[in-house]
Amino acid sequence: MCGIVGYIGTDLAFPFVLKGLKRLEYRGYDSSGMAFLNKNQIDITKSVGKISQLEDLMLSKTHTSKIGIGHTRWATHGEPSDRNAHPFYSNSKKLAIIHNGIIENYAIIKKELQNKGFQFESDTDTEVLINFIENIQQENQVSLEKSLRIALQKIRGAYCILIISVDHPDTIFAARKGSPLVIGIGNNTHYIASDASPIVEFTKEVIYVNDYQIAIIKSDELILKNLGNETITPQITKLDLEITSIDKGIYDDFMLKEIEEQPFTVFDCLRGRLDFKNCNIKLSGVEEFEQQFKQTQKITIIACGTSWHAGIYGKYIIETFCRIPVEVDYASEYRYRNPIIKKGDILIPISQSGETADTLTAIEAAKKDGALIFGIINVAGSSIARICHAGIYTHSGVEIGVASTKAYTGQLTALVLFTLKLALIKESISKQQILEVIDHLQILPTQIQKIIDQKDQLKSMAEKIYAAPNMLYLGRGFNFPTALEGALKMKEVTYIHAEGYPAAEMKHGPIALVNENLPVVFIAPKDNYLEKLYSNIQEINARKGKIIIIANEQDTNALQYTNEVFYIPNSHEILNPILSIIPLQLLSYFVGKLKHLDVDKPRNLAKSVTVE
Ligand code: M6R
């Protein structure tokens, strides 16, 4: 949700800013812009559309500046346009700003500034902020740093901002609250970005700036302060990230690359955590709080989007194996609905990015009320990871495709490990039952590879359905979340309107959609629901829906209803969803490609939703 980059150092700023924006394009791609300090003036260039359009404009210019900032936008205030693209000048043109976040009280500040004669060229909250800072500076005759501090104390909302100033040609001013900010430390150079992906190529030493901190960044000096003007010692972190993991390599799209990485990412999530010999699961985060887990009477999972679907799966398996009630909430609802949380309750936030604003705020509220926060997070060092008491990293690697794929299977795998560990602590199922799951977990990566090797079959299926305007995805039990996630993938990547439903619930409404043009995907692996699910298949068959079935190998029953059957390897029933989602991800991918869409950057979406 908007990406920001900045460079100050010994080389030209433009190459880093451009490359950095390309790396961050997954965060927002409706418009972009850059600002560079050149001989007593700031030069801004911006363009609506993808970064490549901005690049075309920039390549015809001469670049000499060693200090610059860049922004890729996901629109909040004001339509995507050149006018609303960042950076913005202040009225004097002495300052320029880029911003990721939302200033909630911008309208009232804008009115006050307009009454004082300030002019605005855009509809954005960001242009208001830079003029607010300039106004404080002018009226109080204070330094830019002080006026920044005063302004940040008066605004409400979320921000990560970078400011450059004609009067400070050797400094970038940065600040954050609620939106991520990473600073890489190079040789007499600082690299600034919303996440580490633009930085890793240049340095592995980074500082994660915390909320309510201001960074005063020169090429050879970095000063961190809080809003009370106290200096803070920066904590240097070593990046555990390789440049190869953020390149497409041999692939045309990140989405396919990330789908095909799943045998390895699931393996990485399991690595070192399964102990078949001693029938144990090694999760230090759970072990640290073992007593609290033993005593807990309720777990609440909060998440958004795909991660919320993983949460529903978590509820089904935790309740089945551990016999503890689990509530699953959308983080955006949870944070405002005054939920009942007691000291000792366990809250599990699930997030790929670790930056989702709603999830972050919901955690802060539950933490104040005394809950133990146990995160299931992909991005190490992210804002959510840092505020959890403990948790499990999914180790899915960097996910760049906006539609989440490998992060989802990582979340499901982590939830299985967590459930087994909790069942061991609670002694809620037998060791034999646990060993059966461990046994199947060990072969999961190979089974995922087997599905990927058959992807051509899904390409052929895609050819038969890609023109459909609507689709229905139906599953039951552990595969109800698979239906939700399969439908979300299809919607995001292909713009086909797809609904996911519990299969039996379909009779209570969605069945009205069924005719010979409606593709209906059934997720039907062997489990306790299979017989019931076949009754639902018959109901759709009777109404001539175009049936597609995801079934287990040797389930010849499926062929009675359709030739469009995709077989997945047999597994333990709780692990089926980790396999059954893979063909659905591939189906969406192939439909998206047939429709000539940008599967990595679907319209209107952003990878990391850092505004509420
Ligand atoms: O980073 P998070 O897991 O917190 O993100 C949650 C959702 O924004 C995310 O899953 C979104 O729904 C994706 N576009 C799904 O493909």
Side-chain angles (χ1 to χ4, degrees):
M1 184 128 312
C2 296
I4 60 135
V5 285
Y7 176 93
I8 182 160
T10 50
D11 292 329
L12 293 182
F14 171 66
F16 175 80
V17 172
L18 178 65
K19 212 168 188 183
L21 287 184
K22 286 184 179 170
R23 291 243 190 269
L24 292 180
E25 196 172 13
Y26 72 93
R27 296 178 67 89
Y29 32 86
D30 61 44
S31 54
S32 56
M34 301 179 184
F36 297 97
L37 252 169
N38 284 311
K39 288 193 198 123
N40 294 329
Q41 66 176 42
I42 297 171
D43 294 318
I44 292 183
T45 312
K46 33 198 191 176
S47 168
V48 74
K50 302 230 160 121
I51 310 278
S52 54
Q53 285 166 254
L54 177 69
E55 184 177 10
D56 290 345
L57 293 177
M58 293 306 292
L59 288 178
S60 59
K61 300 191 177 198
T62 314
H63 301 283
T64 54
S65 176
K66 295 181 175 176
I67 165 168
I69 54 180
H71 185 271
T72 178
R73 180 170 187 247
W74 186 88
T76 55
H77 294 74
E79 54 167 18
S81 63
D82 285 357
R83 202 168 59 85
N84 288 327
H86 299 214
F88 294 102
Y89 286 118
S90 62
N91 270 204
S92 72
K93 287 206 159 44
K94 283 187 159 193
L95 307 176
I97 188 171
I98 53 175
H99 169 215
N100 169 24
I102 289 183
I103 309 301
E104 287 162 6
N105 55 340
Y106 84 103
I108 187 157
I109 300 173
K110 186 171 185 176
K111 216 168 194 100
E112 282 168 18
L113 291 172
Q114 278 169 328
N115 291 340
K116 291 177 183 176
F118 277 81
Q119 309 274 328
F120 293 93
E121 287 174 4
S122 75
D123 308 319
T124 65
D125 50 345
T126 308
E127 197 187 8
V128 174
L129 177 58
I130 195 63
N131 283 300
F132 187 41
I133 294 166
E134 178 152 90
N135 181 236
I136 294 171
Q137 207 185 351
Q138 288 166 347
E139 282 186 354
N140 300 286
Q141 292 295 305
V142 290
S143 66
L144 174 57
E145 190 192 317
K146 185 156 187 198
S147 61
L148 175 62
R149 268 200 311 274
I150 297 172
L152 296 182
Q153 280 160 353
K154 292 191 174 173
I155 58 169
R156 283 198 312 275
Y159 55 81
C160 167
I161 53 171
L162 297 187
I163 295 174
I164 52 174
S165 157
V166 170
D167 294 335
H168 301 83
D170 60 349
T171 312
I172 295 179
F173 295 85
R176 92 155 251 182
K177 186 206 149 200
S179 302
L181 174 58
V182 191
I183 303 174
I185 305 161
N187 201 0
N188 280 329
T189 298
H190 285 109
Y191 309 92
I192 311 158
S194 298
D195 69 36
S197 59
I199 297 175
V200 61
E201 193 177 337
F202 302 94
T203 177
K204 292 225 163 179
E205 292 200 331
V206 298
I207 290 160
Y208 291 98
V209 178
N210 286 325
D211 279 351
Y212 304 107
Q213 290 183 349
I214 293 178
I216 301 125
I217 311 161
K218 298 179 192 288
S219 55
D220 57 354
E221 187 185 44
L222 167 66
I223 300 172
L224 264 192
K225 289 186 177 178
N226 62 20
L227 294 187
N229 200 23
E230 291 162 333
T231 305
I232 296 155
T233 310
Q235 299 288 325
I236 299 175
T237 306
K238 262 225 138 35
L239 283 178
D240 180 19
L241 180 68
E242 292 307 324
I243 184 74
T244 44
S245 63
I246 51 176
D247 267 356
K248 277 189 206 155
I250 56 164
Y251 291 89
D252 289 338
D253 319 276
F254 280 110
M255 184 178 180
L256 186 61
K257 175 178 184 254
E258 287 162 5
I259 291 174
E260 297 204 354
E261 277 171 358
Q262 289 175 107
F264 310 100
T265 52
V266 168
F267 178 79
D268 284 343
C269 184
L270 296 172
R271 194 206 306 263
R273 288 168 167 169
L274 299 179
D275 179 359
F276 189 85
K277 208 162 130 229
N278 300 305
C279 185
N280 194 13
I281 303 292
K282 292 188 212 151
L283 290 176
S284 54
V286 181
E287 283 151 16
E288 197 185 330
F289 293 94
E290 185 159 338
Q291 275 316 309
Q292 212 156 329
F293 278 107
K294 199 172 190 130
Q295 284 156 13
T296 191
Q297 296 304 314
K298 189 182 122 194
I299 290 177
T300 303
I301 297 178
I302 54 160
C304 303
T306 288
S307 302
W308 184 82
H309 298 156
I312 304 276
Y313 169 77
K315 172 185 171 72
Y316 276 59
I317 61 171
I318 296 168
E319 289 189 347
T320 305
F321 274 26
C322 310
R323 309 307 298 149
I324 307 173
V326 181
E327 268 182 24
V328 188
D329 244 320
Y330 285 115
S332 53
E333 287 297 309
Y334 182 87
R335 63 182 284 194
Y336 286 118
R337 72 171 178 79
N338 197 10
I340 299 162
I341 196 102
K342 290 198 259 42
K343 198 166 170 14
D345 280 356
I346 289 169
L347 184 90
I348 303 186
I350 305 179
S351 176
Q352 185 288 127
S353 62
E355 301 294 347
T356 301
D358 285 320
T359 312
L360 196 57
T361 317
I363 296 169
E364 279 160 1
K367 205 173 178 184
K368 272 197 200 110
D369 288 341
L372 173 74
I373 315 293
F374 187 86
I376 296 186
I377 313 292
N378 188 36
V379 179
S382 56
S383 303
I384 295 179
R386 284 184 290 141
I387 63 166
C388 290
H389 294 110
I392 309 176
Y393 278 126
T394 54
H395 296 310
S396 309
V398 182
E399 191 180 66
I400 292 178
V402 169
S404 188
T405 53
K406 62 176 180 171
Y408 179 67
T409 47
Q411 290 165 344
L412 301 194
T413 309
L415 281 160
V416 173
L417 294 171
F418 172 77
T419 302
L420 295 181
K421 184 75 182 175
L422 197 56
L424 281 165
I425 292 173
K426 293 245 176 206
E427 297 176 11
S428 49
I429 54 171
S430 71
K431 292 216 161 177
Q432 188 48 40
Q433 285 171 296
I434 298 210
L435 287 175
E436 265 172 43
V437 183
I438 297 183
D439 209 19
H440 283 94
L441 273 172
Q442 285 169 333
I443 56 167
L444 210 51
T446 321
Q447 293 184 316
I448 296 174
Q449 187 60 54
K450 198 168 170 195
I451 296 174
I452 291 167
D453 291 344
Q454 296 168 46
K455 66 175 185 253
D456 282 351
Q457 201 195 324
L458 294 154
K459 202 171 179 179
S460 316
M461 267 186 200
E463 280 159 12
K464 292 176 193 145
I465 60 163
Y466 80 98
N470 298 298
M471 284 184 73
L472 203 53
Y473 284 72
L474 302 173
R476 299 186 80 144
F478 302 124
N479 275 295
F480 158 47
T482 314
L484 296 177
E485 177 59 10
L488 181 68
K489 281 299 83 88
M490 191 56 85
K491 250 186 298 222
E492 288 185 295
V493 173
T494 74
Y495 314 147
I496 292 176
H497 172 233
E499 296 277 354
Y501 259 84
E505 190 61 23
M506 156 277 285
K507 289 194 285 294
H508 303 279
I511 199 165
L513 297 173
V514 180
N515 62 22
E516 63 282 6
N517 298 319
L518 184 82
V520 184
V521 180
F522 280 95
I523 301 104
K526 266 179 240 148
D527 57 22
N528 282 337
Y529 299 88
L530 190 58
E531 217 169 277
K532 300 264 177 225
L533 193 84
Y534 268 106
S535 312
N536 303 136
I537 293 177
Q538 285 180 17
E539 286 153 11
I540 297 292
N541 193 40
R543 286 158 186 87
K544 303 203 166 28
K546 275 190 195 170
I547 294 173
I548 294 171
I549 301 181
I550 309 298
N552 273 143
E553 286 162 352
Q554 281 114 38
D555 182 358
T556 46
N557 218 357
L559 290 168
Q560 285 181 43
Y561 301 98
T562 175
N563 290 327
E564 303 304 331
V565 182
F566 186 89
Y567 289 107
I568 58 171
N570 297 320
S571 185
H572 190 286
E573 66 169 347
I574 74 158
L575 303 184
N576 280 329
I578 304 176
L579 297 171
S580 57
I581 192 59
I582 314 273
L584 303 185
Q585 295 169 345
L586 284 163
L587 189 64
S588 305
Y589 170 79
F590 286 124
V591 172
K593 293 303 277 182
L594 283 165
K595 294 178 97 170
H596 306 290
L597 296 170
D598 184 346
V599 293
D600 286 343
K601 300 188 209 88
R603 70 180 174 214
N604 302 335
L605 287 175
K607 181 71 184 162
S608 182
V609 185
T610 51
V611 294
E612 69 167 290

